[in-house]
Amino acid sequence: MNNCDSSTDRHSKTKRETTQRKKPMVCRKGGQKFKESLGFVQINLNKQRQASKDLGYFIRKIEKPLILVQEPHVNGKGVISKGSYCLRASTCKNPKKPVRASIFFHKSMERQVWSKDSITTEDCAVVQTKV
């Protein structure tokens, strides 16, 4: 058996050579590369604007972030500060009191994440995902 001919003998390669060949499945959404997985983050922002901005910087390191937010910062007009232009928020549509829970996700996941408005309240945000 010839060790140079690797096409005929799949066992002749070392374990290190075979593991280096394997690459994770990667999909492209919005010009960015993402692995087929979700990155979950749970955070309490304590209604602080600076904490929302810091979250915007932090999520750049996470692929396909799904962020469970408690006490998000809400400005005077009732708009939730997301901390980054690439984040979308799922929250109660017509709150009667201040929103205490929200779910943020990356804009590339808009077609894969659906808000469950029928069971979402000011205190609980619910989404369904296809990923």
Side-chain angles (χ1 to χ4, degrees):
M1 180 181 307
N2 185 358
N3 287 338
C4 296
D5 187 13
S6 61
S7 61
T8 58
D9 185 17
R10 63 186 174 114
H11 298 292
S12 66
K13 291 186 176 182
T14 65
K15 184 175 181 178
R16 183 176 180 190
E17 289 174 336
T18 57
T19 55
Q20 285 180 348
R21 259 189 352 183
K22 296 178 183 177
K23 294 182 180 178
M25 291 185 60
V26 175
C27 65
R28 289 190 178 269
K29 298 280 184 180
Q32 297 180 4
K33 291 170 93 174
F34 288 114
K35 295 178 185 175
E36 291 294 327
S37 63
L38 290 174
F40 285 90
V41 177
Q42 187 274 332
I43 189 166
N44 186 332
L45 296 179
N46 292 321
K47 303 177 186 174
Q48 300 295 317
R49 180 182 300 188
Q50 186 60 44
S52 297
K53 289 181 182 178
D54 292 343
L55 176 64
Y57 292 118
F58 175 74
I59 59 103
R60 293 179 184 163
K61 300 175 186 175
I62 301 171
E63 296 178 16
K64 282 197 174 181
L66 196 62
I67 305 160
L68 313 174
V69 180
Q70 297 170 335
E71 299 181 2
H73 174 262
V74 181
N75 68 10
K77 297 179 182 177
V79 178
I80 294 177
S81 301
K82 296 181 289 286
S84 177
Y85 70 93
C86 64
L87 289 179
R88 303 295 184 256
S90 173
T91 188
C92 184
K93 299 297 180 199
N94 298 315
K96 295 179 175 79
K97 54 185 180 178
V99 175
R100 293 173 32 106
S102 183
I103 297 178
F104 296 167
F105 53 91
H106 193 269
K107 67 180 180 181
S108 67
M109 297 172 57
E110 280 184 307
R111 294 185 181 189
Q112 299 170 334
V113 175
W114 302 276
S115 181
K116 302 298 279 184
D117 294 333
S118 60
I119 53 179
T120 297
T121 65
E122 295 92 350
D123 297 325
C124 178
V126 182
V127 294
Q128 177 181 353
T129 183
K130 185 171 86 171
V131 177

